[in-house]
Amino acid sequence: MFGAGPITEQYAPCLSFRHWLQAVPDSAAGGPCAKPALVIYTVFQSYPSPVKPTLCSCLPRPLLALLGLVAALKLAGCQSPPPTLAQHPAPPLARYVAELRAARARQPQAARYHGQLGIFVDLTRPDTENRFFLLDLRTGRALVAAPCLNGRTDRQGRVRYSNEVNSNCSSRGLAWTSYAEAYPGRFGVAYRLHGLSAGTSNLAARTVVLHSWRHVPAAPVVAGRHPIQSWGCPALAPTRLAEVVQHLRRAGHHRVLVCLR
């Protein structure tokens, strides 16, 4: 473990554990969490055998050193570093906006679709990250960015896509919704999604809708803590759906285009 060498001699005049702990530099002890263990071990080594506590004489020295290390780390408040959010590339908002603009322009009745609002659901991003984006198509800004659920995945955790009824998979393609599409669903107010492409033509038959669920995180979560899967719905946290609804309400009777990827 640690030996009594130059550090012991240099900082031996310290009169208390607290003073010693403050006197020994982190770099000399091998880091802030190693410093208390060095001090405890050095103090233990400095005791003459006749005056060591009875417990010390009854325990094997490796075990005593281990107990001293645990106690020292607790005294110093050394804990495991908090989990950090995984770092992933920023979502390509400009590409999302370009795709939504182009899709709106291709619609036979483009005027029925709101010219400023669009929704892009990018399930190719990690499920711990923001994947639902309500976008301002004029400024390119994300009005709402939030994690959302996906349907079934394969053994590698990749999202499976299907348009089949009872598949419980996510769908890929274009759809639309609006404030007028609200209805009382199983998890509260939900908004129907109407398919506009071959990969989304069964959204209504599958009851794939935009709804909230209290177990969906409202913000990106720590890597490894994966949210639960849905039955194909891009479900949001209740607080985030409430933000989306405010914008849908302002859109009035206009449809809002939804791109599912």
Side-chain angles (χ1 to χ4, degrees), residues 32-121:
C33 288
K35 181 166 64 175
L38 170 64
V39 174
I40 288 288
Y41 185 74
T42 304
V43 171
F44 170 76
Q45 290 287 71
S46 66
Y47 272 111
S49 296
V51 297
K52 286 183 180 180
T54 304
L55 179 62
C56 294
S57 63
C58 297
L59 293 175
R61 182 167 296 190
L63 177 58
L64 184 61
L66 179 60
L67 292 175
L69 173 62
V70 173
L73 292 179
K74 287 185 176 293
L75 285 172
C78 291
Q79 301 176 351
S80 300
T84 57
L85 295 177
Q87 298 297 320
H88 296 284
L93 299 184
R95 179 171 64 81
Y96 298 163
V97 169
E99 287 193 33
L100 285 167
R101 287 174 177 170
R104 180 178 180 271
R106 291 195 302 267
Q107 299 308 308
Q109 296 177 314
R112 300 184 63 179
Y113 296 87
H114 200 275
Q116 188 170 356
L117 294 180
I119 295 173
F120 201 102
V121 180

Side-chain angles (χ1 to χ4, degrees), residues 104-220:
R104 180 178 180 271
R106 291 195 302 267
Q107 299 308 308
Q109 296 177 314
R112 300 184 63 179
Y113 296 87
H114 200 275
Q116 188 170 356
L117 294 180
I119 295 173
F120 201 102
V121 180
D122 188 356
L123 299 182
T124 65
R125 291 178 57 78
D127 59 2
T128 55
E129 294 286 315
N130 291 334
R131 303 194 293 178
F132 180 99
F133 302 91
L134 177 65
L135 299 165
D136 186 324
L137 301 183
R138 295 177 183 171
T139 66
R141 185 168 60 95
L143 303 174
V144 178
C148 73
L149 299 188
N150 55 261
R152 287 184 174 178
T153 60
D154 60 20
R155 293 183 178 180
Q156 286 73 41
R158 295 171 298 195
V159 178
R160 294 174 55 189
Y161 296 93
S162 175
N163 193 36
E164 298 296 325
V165 177
N166 297 325
S167 66
N168 294 340
C169 292
S170 298
S171 292
R172 177 180 283 165
L174 289 175
W176 67 269
T177 189
S178 72
Y179 185 69
E181 294 303 311
Y183 74 98
R186 178 180 177 185
F187 302 102
V189 178
Y191 293 81
R192 298 181 182 88
L193 294 172
H194 300 273
L196 292 172
S197 57
T200 58
S201 60
N202 283 331
L203 290 182
R206 298 177 55 206
T207 321
V208 173
V209 299
L210 179 60
H211 68 83
S212 67
W213 191 41
R214 60 189 178 91
H215 295 293
V216 182

